[in-house]
């Protein structure tokens, strides 16, 4: 009975306790029980998980010291997350605890929360969502606290977190307004006050109001209790001073970070030293003190994780001191540290590339530029600049190689026979010394290997290395490698030495069994070819080695033919010209460009290179030497007074166009070109060229002018105009495509001749100087009437442009020469027509030659109509054009595509101004739509 009573009493007490602790009852016990359970159980564990997550987050975050540091160390990831997914399990756990506290311990009774811990539960929920980068749900949690718990003791902290969330959502202006109001509400200058100032400082930095940010950071630094935050805030202050150009203030702030010593994180101290080094005056500064300081930093064991930064600064120091060899050593040390800073790695590669570029080691420089691009952010402006520089370097590598190689050949070829032998003997002596050094190294390596083998124990293991860690096997190296190898047959020097020693002792031995017992040398009855094949590859290597020590091996490779040497000289001269223009236009290396062009003129190049080289030198001298510029200008005007360059220098030419930009002017001229108004646009193009001298569009205007000149003056003048474009703008797309056109298609046009093809149709021409004259109109009316009345064959009539002041009235479509002669007689004698102007009967193929070469008088004088047809099989053919660039410029949907079919075909010789539907009558018999024709300059 007593037991039953006790049991009932305990059960009743427990029941009453649970009823009293209900979240639906607003009692003293319920409020305190749920508050205590929420604080010391659920929220406690939730905050522990949050703290762990924050530690993980900060440990994974890598500061970018090349930009102004953010106040808060938190990496924003662009990775998309699915609903309910958490990036960090600690944040997921913290959110779970916060949710549990809200769901199980909230006492929302009659619209009022009775559990005083619920504001902290919602604050924890907002923080976990914030660090999990779910900013909209986080903002909802913070706003809920502000709405439901306006009198909470956490209200200021919640407001700070809300504005941090707004800033993450790019609402910086709203954050500034709210934080200003909050700062007036905070009465106690404690950590909350410091956090509020730091947060508003970040908002000001985001808005690029750096001076306001400085003021707030100073306050945050003063009142924060965290040494890590003090160091970070001071470092950010120094960066802002540096951004504003206050170098002395920045230097002093960096020194404050350094003076914190162990109270500051080591990374801030090292980076502060690095930023101070960037402000060092390498000409007037105390270099000994600088070196002493960095030598001490490099030796400090605590700085080992930051050797990449320190070595980079040392490399920059020696680079600025013009000691590139030492700088290279430190750049490589920085790279070997395997830094996490990708921009630091890119800077090392870029600076090494610049050093090798300045040393004229362009291939190596190109490789370092390639390495730079692999680690540099592709979205940056610097990436685009280096990409462009690397592309330009391809041409430098190509032409520098040609220039150096051909210079060497021509220099040696100019020596006497004795001089050549002396030169190569000195080269062979140098080569022998180098091979001897390699052989000594090989012997030493072989001796070391023998000693190592002798130390091996009976199990075949090195007793001295039993406990050593395993190493990777040695990989084979190339036979032309200079590096050493422990394996005999991987080292060419040791192999060659072995071959020589073998021959000394045994002589030439056939590749047979029992070779030691066989007679020395090759048997008499053995087939010489078989004996030759029987010699080992080691013998072949020995032969090659012996050839390298013979002067004849080199002498027979030097050309002696005048024709070949002239060709080499021309190739060398063109390479020098290209290098001068590339250095001037692409790299702004004016002194180097001047050196190349001066050397070109010293070599007395072909005439086509002289004037362009002089003009480019004049433009360079204007920048680096005004006196030389005036002298070069006078020389050009005196020696080439009628040249285009002289006209540019003397400022002669037409008036300016009304258009304000080269793009508008070019577009207008191009439209007139399409309408075939060649005579009208030539002076306009010349005026535009003078007006827009120095603009990027200038090559397009020049190429447009070249095409018009081809239309009006023929292939000889066309070639000169194209040559001007190719040499004046060799690095533009127009210049490159024109150079290819001159080399591949101009020879075909120049090879055209009369009566070299069987005619497919015939034409009758009437000369007409002025199409508006009464005589020309009468002739046009009469031949048009005749063509319409002609029923035997379908004829067409056109007015064709011939030269700048001459035209043709043409009847097309006549099938035979006899028929053409008969029609010409009818038009001359029949009373209905009575055309007094003599008609010229000509085949369509010959008419094409006339339009290309502008030689109608030669055709008439030579009586080519009555001469036999002699077909010529030309070796020169119009090649298919490879694609140059299949991309359209952005925003230009109607622009022509370079590299389209027949893309390089110039329309310069299609003389017809009216329609001619007979394709066999086209002047070049290869007319293409203008939108597919690279002969026309492309629209901007």
């Amino acid at each position: 009975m007593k037991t039953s009573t006790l049991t009932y009493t305990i059960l009743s007490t427990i029941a009453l306790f649970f009823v009293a602790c209900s979240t639906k009852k607003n009692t003293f016990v319920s409020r305190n029980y749920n508050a205590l359970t929420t604080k010391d159980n659920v929220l406690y564990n939730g905050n522990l998980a949050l703290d762990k997550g924050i530690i993980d987050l900060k440990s994974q975050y890598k500061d970018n010291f090349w930009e102004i540091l953010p106040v808060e160390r938190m990496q924003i990831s662009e990775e998309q997350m699915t609903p309910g997914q958490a990036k960090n399990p600690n944040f997921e756990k913290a959110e779970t605890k916060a949710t549990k506290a809200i769901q199980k311990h909230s006492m929302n009774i009659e619209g009022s929360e009775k559990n005083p811990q619920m504001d902290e539960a919602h604050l924890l929920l907002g923080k976990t969502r914030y660090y999990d980068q779910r900013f909209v749900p986080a903002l909802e949690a913070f706003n809920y606290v502000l709405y439901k718990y306006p009198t909470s003791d956490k209200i200021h902290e919640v407001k700070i977190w809300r504005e941090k969330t707004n800033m993450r959502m790019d609402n910086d202006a709203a954050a500034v307004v709210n934080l200003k109001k909050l700062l007036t509400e905070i009465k106690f200058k404690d950590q909350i006050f410091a956090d509020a100032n730091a947060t508003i400082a970040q908002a000001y930095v985001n808005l690029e109001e750096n001076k306001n940010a400085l003021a707030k950071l100073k306050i945050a630094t003063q009142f924060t209790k965290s040494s890590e935050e003090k160091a970070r805030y001071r470092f950010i202050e120094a960066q802002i001073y540096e951004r504003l150009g206050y170098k002395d203030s920045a230097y002093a702030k960096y020194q404050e970070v350094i003076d914190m010593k162990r109270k500051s994180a080591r990374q801030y101290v090292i980076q502060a030293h690095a930023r101070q080094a960037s402000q060092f005056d390498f000409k007037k500064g105390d270099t000994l003190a600088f070196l002493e300081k960095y030598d001490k930093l490099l030796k400090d064991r605590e700085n080992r994780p930051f050797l990449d930064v320190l070595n980079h600064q040392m490399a920059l120091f020696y680079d600025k001191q013009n000691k590139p060899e030492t700088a290279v050593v430190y750049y490589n040390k920085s790279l070997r540290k395997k830094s996490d800073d990708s921009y630091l790695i890119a800077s090392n590669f870029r600076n090494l590339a610049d050093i090798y570029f300045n040393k004229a080691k362009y291939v190596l420089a190109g490789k370092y530029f390639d390495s730079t691009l692999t680690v540099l952010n592709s979205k940056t402006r610097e990436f685009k600049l280096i990409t462009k520089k690397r592309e330009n370097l391809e041409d430098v590598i190509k032409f520098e190689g040609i220039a150096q190689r051909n210079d060497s050949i021509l220099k040696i070829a100019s020596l006497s026979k004795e001089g050549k032998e002396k030169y190569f003997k000195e080269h062979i002596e140098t080569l022998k010394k180098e091979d001897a050094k390699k052989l000594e190294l090989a012997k030493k390596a072989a001796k070391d290997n023998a000693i190592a083998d002798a130390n091996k124990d009976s199990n075949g293991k090195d007793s001295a290395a039993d406990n050593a860690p395993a190493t990777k096997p040695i990989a084979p190296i190339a036979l032309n490698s200079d590096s050493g190898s422990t394996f005999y047959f991987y080292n060419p020097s040791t192999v060659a030495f072995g071959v020589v020693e073998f021959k000394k002792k045994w002589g030439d031995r056939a590749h047979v069994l029992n070779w030691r017992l066989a007679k020395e040398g090759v048997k008499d009855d053995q087939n010489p070819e078989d004996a030759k094949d029987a010699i080992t590859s080691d013998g072949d290597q020995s032969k090659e080695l012996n050839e390298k020590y013979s002067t004849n091996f080199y002498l027979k490779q030097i050309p002696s033919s005048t024709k070949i040497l002239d060709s080499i000289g021309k190739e060398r001269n063109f390479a020098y010209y290209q290098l001068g223009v590339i250095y001037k236009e692409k790299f702004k290396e004016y002194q180097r460009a001047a050196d190349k062009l001066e050397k070109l003129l010293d070599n007395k190049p072909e005439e086509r290179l002289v004037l362009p080289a002089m003009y480019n030198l004049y433009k360079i001298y204007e920048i680096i030497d005004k006196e030389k510029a005036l002298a070069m200008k006078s020389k050009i005007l005196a020696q080439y007074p009628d040249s285009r360059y002289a006209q540019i220098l003397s400022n002669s030419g037409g008036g300016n166009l009304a258009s304000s930009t080269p793009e508008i002017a070019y577009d207008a001229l191009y439209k007139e070109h399409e309408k075939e108004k060649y005579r009208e646009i030539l002076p306009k193009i010349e005026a535009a060229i003078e007006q827009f001298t120095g603009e990027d569009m200038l090559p397009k205007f020049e190429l447009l002018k070249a095409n018009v000149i081809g239309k009006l003056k023929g292939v000889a003048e066309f070639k000169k105009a194209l040559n001007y474009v190719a040499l004046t703008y060799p690095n533009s797309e127009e210049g490159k495509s024109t150079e290819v056109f001159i080399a591949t298609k101009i020879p075909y046009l120049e090879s055209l001749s009369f009566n070299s093809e069987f005619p497919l149709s015939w034409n009758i021409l009437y000369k007409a100087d002025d199409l508006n004259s009464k005589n020309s109109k009468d002739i046009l009316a009469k031949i048009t009437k005749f063509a319409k009345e002609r029923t035997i064959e379908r004829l067409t009539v056109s007015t064709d442009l011939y030269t700048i002041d001459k035209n043709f009235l043409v009847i097309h479509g006549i099938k035979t020469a006899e028929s053409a002669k008969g029609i010409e007689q009818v038009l001359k004698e029949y009373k209905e027509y009575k055309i007094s102007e003599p008609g010229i009967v000509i085949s369509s193929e010959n008419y094409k030659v006339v339009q290309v070469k502008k030689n109608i008088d030669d055709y008439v004088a030579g009586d080519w109509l009555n001469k036999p047809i002699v077909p010529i099989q030309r070796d020169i053919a119009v090649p298919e054009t490879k694609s140059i660039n299949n991309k359209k410029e952005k925003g230009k949907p109607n622009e022509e595509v370079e590299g389209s079919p027949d893309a390089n075909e110039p329309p310069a010789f299609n003389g017809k101004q009216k329609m001619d539907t007979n394709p066999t009558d086209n002047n070049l018999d290869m007319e293409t739509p203008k939108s597919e024709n690279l002969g026309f300059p492309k629209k901007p």
Side-chain angles (χ1 to χ4, degrees):
M1 185 67 181
K2 290 181 180 181
T3 303
S4 299
T5 302
L6 182 62
T7 302
Y8 290 137
T9 302
I10 294 173
L11 291 174
S12 299
T13 303
I14 293 172
L16 289 171
F17 179 78
F18 277 108
V19 171
C21 296
S22 171
T23 58
K24 303 298 182 183
K25 299 288 185 178
N26 184 17
T27 63
F28 175 82
V29 176
S30 294
R31 289 195 302 271
N32 285 278
Y33 168 77
N34 285 291
L36 185 63
T37 305
T38 303
K39 178 182 178 181
D40 293 340
N41 185 2
V42 186
L43 291 185
Y44 174 80
N45 290 304
N47 283 313
L48 285 179
L50 178 66
D51 292 340
K52 288 181 181 179
I54 293 173
I55 292 172
D56 290 343
L57 196 67
K58 289 184 176 181
S59 65
Q60 295 170 6
Y61 178 75
K62 301 297 180 184
D63 278 312
N64 179 13
F65 288 94
W66 302 95
E67 300 289 343
I68 293 179
L69 296 181
V71 168
E72 184 180 33
R73 297 181 63 194
M74 176 178 166
Q75 182 68 42
I76 299 298
S77 173
E78 297 180 359
E79 181 183 352
Q80 297 295 326
M81 296 178 57
T82 59
Q85 180 184 2
K87 295 182 179 179
N88 190 308
N90 289 308
F91 294 141
E92 184 178 15
K93 181 179 179 181
E95 185 174 6
T96 301
K97 294 295 183 182
T99 306
K100 180 180 178 181
I102 294 168
Q103 289 177 344
K104 294 196 174 183
H105 297 284
S106 175
M107 297 180 65
N108 195 341
I109 300 172
E110 297 179 357
S112 176
E113 180 60 58
K114 305 304 180 182
N115 186 345
Q117 295 296 320
M118 283 302 101
D119 56 345
E120 295 195 29
H122 282 92
L123 177 58
L124 176 62
L125 181 64
K127 287 181 180 179
T128 57
R129 290 173 175 176
Y130 174 87
Y131 284 118
D132 219 25
Q133 299 181 26
R134 291 179 289 130
F135 300 118
V136 174
L139 192 62
E140 291 177 355
F142 297 136
N143 283 331
Y144 185 83
V145 177
L146 297 176
Y147 173 69
K148 281 289 186 179
Y149 313 105
T151 59
S152 169
D153 60 339
K154 299 289 184 181
I155 198 70
H156 292 156
E157 184 179 356
V158 173
K159 287 183 178 180
I160 293 172
W161 279 98
R162 182 186 65 176
E163 302 319 318
K164 288 169 69 174
T165 308
N166 274 327
M167 288 160 54
R168 295 294 181 182
M169 298 170 68
D170 297 328
N171 296 325
D172 298 297
V176 168
V177 172
N178 294 333
L179 286 168
K180 281 183 177 180
K181 184 178 179 182
L182 173 62
L183 287 171
T184 62
E185 297 173 359
I186 299 176
K187 297 179 181 180
F188 301 102
K189 296 183 177 181
D190 52 7
Q191 185 64 44
I192 293 296
F193 182 70
D195 292 343
N197 279 282
T199 305
I200 196 173
Q202 181 64 62
Y204 280 130
V205 170
N206 295 345
L207 294 171
E208 298 184 358
E209 298 179 16
N210 291 324
K211 290 186 178 180
N212 291 333
L214 269 176
K216 297 302 179 183
L217 276 173
K218 288 179 181 178
I219 297 172
T221 305
Q222 181 181 354
F223 290 101
T224 184
K225 298 177 182 178
S226 168
S227 295
E228 196 274 341
E229 288 182 356
K230 283 182 183 289
R232 189 175 185 86
Y233 295 164
R234 283 171 177 160
F235 193 93
I236 296 172
E237 286 181 62
Q239 288 182 307
I240 294 174
Y241 276 128
E242 202 169 2
R243 178 73 61 87
L244 293 173
Y246 304 145
K247 293 186 177 181
D248 291 341
S249 299
Y251 193 95
K253 276 294 174 184
Y254 285 129
Q255 190 60 45
E256 286 183 20
V257 176
I258 295 170
D259 292 341
M260 289 182 70
K261 298 181 180 179
R262 295 184 182 276
K263 291 182 179 180
S264 169
R266 197 65 184 169
Q267 60 176 345
Y268 300 135
V269 174
I270 296 299
Q271 292 293 340
H273 281 298
R275 296 312 304 165
Q276 284 185 335
S278 68
Q279 298 180 25
F280 181 74
D281 189 339
F282 293 95
K283 293 182 178 179
K284 300 179 181 179
D286 189 346
T287 55
L288 292 176
F290 181 93
L291 290 173
E292 183 180 353
K293 171 184 176 181
Y294 266 82
D295 185 57
K296 184 177 179 181
L297 289 171
L298 286 168
K299 290 179 179 178
D300 191 338
R301 292 176 61 89
E302 291 187 26
N303 296 336
R304 287 184 179 181
F306 309 102
L307 289 178
D308 53 340
V309 178
L310 297 174
N311 281 308
H312 178 77
Q313 292 302 323
M314 286 292 285
L316 289 176
F317 172 80
Y318 284 112
D319 210 348
K320 297 287 179 65
Q321 291 288 315
N322 199 23
K323 297 180 180 179
E325 291 79 10
T326 311
V328 167
V329 173
Y330 280 100
Y331 280 131
N332 285 320
K333 285 183 177 181
S334 179
L335 287 170
R336 280 196 293 269
K337 182 59 182 65
K338 297 181 180 180
S339 174
D340 293 329
D341 188 343
S342 60
Y343 189 76
L344 180 68
I345 298 171
S347 298
N348 286 326
F349 282 132
R350 181 200 59 219
N351 295 346
L352 283 168
D354 289 337
I355 289 173
Y356 288 117
F357 180 85
N358 293 331
K359 288 184 176 182
K361 296 182 178 180
Y362 302 107
V363 175
L364 192 55
K367 292 179 180 178
Y368 275 109
F369 278 129
D370 288 337
S371 299
T372 304
L373 295 174
T374 59
V375 292
L376 198 60
N377 185 354
S378 60
K379 297 180 180 179
T380 60
R381 183 182 180 187
E382 186 177 10
F383 181 89
K384 296 176 181 177
L385 292 174
I386 294 177
T387 300
K388 187 176 181 181
K389 190 171 185 179
R390 179 64 182 90
E391 290 171 354
N392 295 334
L393 198 59
E394 285 293 335
D395 290 334
V396 173
I397 293 170
K398 172 186 173 184
F399 291 117
E400 282 286 358
I402 293 172
Q404 292 173 9
R405 183 190 69 240
N406 291 9
D407 264 338
S408 299
I409 294 172
L410 293 172
K411 179 182 177 181
I412 297 171
S414 66
L415 298 174
S416 63
K417 184 178 180 181
E418 294 76 13
K420 291 176 185 175
E421 290 183 351
K422 180 181 178 182
Y423 177 85
F424 287 122
K425 283 179 180 177
E426 291 175 355
H427 172 72
I428 290 169
E429 287 300 318
T430 304
L431 194 64
K432 286 180 177 179
K433 290 179 181 178
E434 291 177 354
D435 289 344
K437 288 181 181 178
K438 294 177 184 177
L439 190 58
E440 287 297 323
L441 291 173
K443 288 181 178 179
K444 186 176 182 302
K447 183 178 179 181
D448 292 342
N449 288 341
I451 294 172
D453 291 340
N455 290 331
K456 288 185 178 180
D457 57 22
S458 58
N459 294 327
K461 295 182 179 178
D462 190 347
S463 57
D466 282 344
N467 298 322
T471 58
K472 294 182 179 179
I474 298 173
I477 61 173
L479 285 177
N480 60 353
S481 174
D482 291 337
S483 58
S485 173
T486 57
F487 184 46
Y488 178 90
F489 288 104
Y490 288 164
N491 192 305
S493 299
T494 56
V495 171
F497 175 76
V499 170
V500 173
E501 290 298 313
F502 179 87
K503 283 194 171 186
K504 283 182 182 178
K505 185 174 182 179
W506 300 99
D508 290 327
R509 292 282 173 167
H511 192 196
V512 295
L513 295 174
N514 297 322
W515 61 268
R516 295 184 66 179
L517 301 177
K519 292 182 179 180
E520 183 177 341
V522 179
K523 294 181 180 179
D524 294 337
D525 59 347
Q526 188 176 2
N527 189 314
E529 292 298 323
D530 294 340
K532 183 178 178 180
D533 293 339
I535 298 175
T536 63
S537 60
D538 290 346
D540 292 338
Q541 289 186 9
S542 178
K543 182 180 179 181
E544 291 175 6
L545 192 64
N546 291 334
E547 281 185 344
K548 286 165 58 179
Y549 296 156
S550 169
T551 55
N552 290 331
F553 174 74
Y554 301 101
L555 289 172
K556 65 184 180 182
Q557 298 183 51
I558 301 300
S560 57
S561 168
T562 304
K563 184 177 180 181
I564 295 175
L565 291 174
D566 287 344
S567 175
I568 292 172
K570 288 181 179 179
E571 187 182 31
R572 183 270 314 270
N573 292 338
F574 185 70
Y576 272 120
Y577 177 80
Q578 291 280 34
L579 287 169
V581 176
I582 291 170
Y583 286 135
K584 167 180 166 271
E585 295 182 357
K586 300 297 183 181
F587 295 103
K588 311 301 180 187
E589 295 275 351
Y590 298 114
Q591 187 57 55
R592 187 170 293 179
D595 293 342
K596 296 297 180 183
L597 293 173
E598 288 169 354
K599 193 167 184 179
L600 168 66
L601 295 176
D602 291 340
N603 291 333
K604 298 180 180 179
E606 54 270 34
E607 189 63 28
R608 77 184 188 111
L609 295 176
V610 175
L611 187 54
M614 292 173 67
Y615 179 74
N616 278 291
L617 269 174
Y618 163 74
K619 300 298 287 184
I620 294 168
Y621 289 152
E622 276 194 317
I623 299 171
I624 63 175
D625 194 329
K626 296 291 184 182
E627 291 183 4
K628 285 187 176 181
L630 291 174
M632 184 59 69
K633 179 180 179 180
S634 300
K635 193 173 181 180
I636 293 172
L637 294 175
Q639 296 181 7
Y640 304 94
D642 300 326
S643 67
R644 279 274 299 114
Y645 296 101
Q647 293 175 13
I648 294 171
L649 293 177
S650 59
N651 293 321
S652 63
N656 289 342
L657 296 178
S659 57
S660 58
T661 66
E663 288 81 6
I664 295 174
Y666 181 82
D667 190 57
L669 291 171
Y670 188 83
K671 287 177 180 177
E672 290 191 61
H673 184 276
E674 288 182 317
K675 294 176 182 178
E676 301 181 351
K677 297 180 179 180
Y678 306 118
R679 294 189 181 103
E680 294 82 352
I681 66 171
L682 184 57
K684 295 179 182 179
I685 296 173
E686 290 175 343
I689 288 172
E690 182 172 341
Q691 179 180 355
F692 300 118
T693 298
E695 297 284 348
D696 292 338
M697 291 286 294
L698 202 59
K700 294 183 183 292
F701 285 103
E702 293 285 6
L703 187 53
L704 186 62
K705 179 184 176 182
N707 277 280
V708 173
I709 288 174
K711 293 277 189 180
L712 300 175
K713 298 183 179 181
V715 67
E717 294 298 320
F718 184 46
K719 181 179 179 180
K720 291 180 183 178
L722 290 177
N723 189 62
Y724 175 85
V725 176
L727 292 176
T728 308
Y729 313 101
N731 300 307
S732 66
E733 284 300 320
E734 291 78 15
K736 292 177 180 179
S737 61
T738 301
E739 185 69 32
V740 173
F741 186 91
I742 292 171
T744 58
K745 297 194 177 182
I746 287 295
Y748 169 79
L749 300 177
E750 290 176 328
S751 71
L752 295 175
S753 58
F754 294 128
N755 288 9
S756 61
E757 298 178 42
F758 286 111
L760 299 176
S761 64
W762 293 80
N763 307 324
I764 301 174
L765 313 181
Y766 292 95
K767 294 181 179 180
D769 293 346
D770 183 4
L771 292 175
N772 294 319
S773 68
K774 184 177 182 301
N775 184 48
S776 297
K777 289 181 178 179
D778 288 344
I779 294 174
L780 181 61
K782 290 175 181 179
I783 63 177
T784 302
K785 178 184 176 184
F786 177 83
K788 288 181 179 179
E789 294 174 351
R790 182 80 170 180
T791 58
I792 299 175
E793 51 195 346
R794 180 176 175 271
L795 303 180
T796 58
V797 176
S798 70
T799 58
D800 290 5
L801 179 146
Y802 180 52
T803 63
I804 197 166
D805 57 355
K806 297 183 184 298
N807 307 281
F808 288 135
L809 304 176
V810 188
I811 302 175
H812 303 273
I814 306 172
K815 294 182 179 179
T816 64
E818 289 72 18
S819 178
K821 291 177 183 178
I823 292 172
E824 194 272 334
Q825 288 297 319
V826 169
L827 293 172
K828 180 179 180 181
E829 299 175 359
Y830 194 62
K831 63 180 180 179
E832 192 174 348
Y833 304 106
K834 283 290 181 179
I835 298 176
S836 59
E837 180 74 24
I840 302 172
V841 177
I842 187 171
S843 67
S844 296
E845 287 67 30
N846 283 342
Y847 185 46
K848 175 173 67 176
V849 178
V850 166
Q851 285 287 8
V852 168
K853 296 191 172 183
K854 307 299 180 186
N855 57 352
I856 188 65
D857 293 335
D858 293 342
Y859 175 81
V860 174
D863 193 23
W864 285 96
L865 176 62
N866 299 313
K867 289 185 178 180
I869 305 296
V870 183
I872 296 176
Q873 183 67 37
R874 292 185 177 86
D875 294 331
I876 304 171
V878 180
E880 293 184 4
T881 305
K882 294 183 179 179
S883 174
I884 296 176
N885 182 5
N886 290 324
K887 295 181 179 178
K888 295 184 180 180
E889 290 185 26
K890 185 176 180 182
K892 310 292 181 187
N894 296 323
E895 183 179 343
E896 299 159 16
V897 181
E898 296 183 7
S900 55
D902 296 328
N904 274 349
E905 195 55 60
F909 307 110
N910 178 12
K912 292 191 283 291
Q913 292 178 323
K914 296 293 181 79
M915 285 295 296
D916 181 3
T917 56
N918 187 345
T920 61
D921 286 346
N922 288 347
N923 298 324
L924 276 180
D925 198 20
M926 51 185 172
E927 183 179 8
T928 56
K930 292 183 176 61
S931 62
E932 296 181 351
N933 203 315
L934 193 61
F936 283 109
K938 296 297 167 282
K939 284 187 178 181

